[in-house]
């Protein structure tokens, strides 16, 4: 079985999500995009990501709150976040 890296993109504005998705498309990772902090937390509970790229102020929550919730799970404890 081949491991495919996963990247989570979080932004409440569509343009940055589209731009980042296009820029990262060539790296061969599975890219999941969400538009708010709640969706990011749900996706992180279902998946193990290798990287999270998050807007500093996503709709409904501050990004630091989202990161705190994501990192509560053992599988996400050391996930890199930018």
């Amino acid at each position: 079985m081949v491991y495919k890296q996963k990247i989570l993109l979080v932004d409440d504005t569509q343009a940055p999500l589209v731009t980042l998705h296009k820029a990262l498309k060539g790296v061969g990772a599975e890219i999941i995009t969400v538009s708010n902090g709640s969706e990011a937390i749900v996706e992180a509970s279902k998946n193990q990501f290798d990287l999270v790229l998050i807007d500093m102020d996503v709709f409904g929550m501050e990004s630091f709150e989202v990161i705190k919730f994501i990192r509560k799970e053992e599988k996400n404890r050391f996930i890199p976040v930018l």
Side-chain angles (χ1 to χ4, degrees), residues 23-57:
L24 294 169
K25 194 173 184 180
V27 301
E30 179 180 349
I31 301 169
I32 296 176
T33 60
V34 296
S35 61
N36 63 56
S38 298
E39 291 176 2
I41 292 168
V42 169
E43 285 297 326
S45 69
K46 296 188 303 186
N47 296 287
Q48 184 170 355
F49 290 98
D50 298 287
L51 175 64
V52 175
L53 298 174
I54 185 169
D55 182 27
M56 288 302 294
D57 189 27

Side-chain angles (χ1 to χ4, degrees), residues 3-19:
Y3 176 75
K4 187 169 188 176
Q5 294 178 323
K6 290 185 180 182
I7 300 172
L8 178 62
L9 304 179
V10 186
D11 200 320
D12 54 358
T13 307
Q14 189 65 26
L17 286 176
V18 171
T19 301

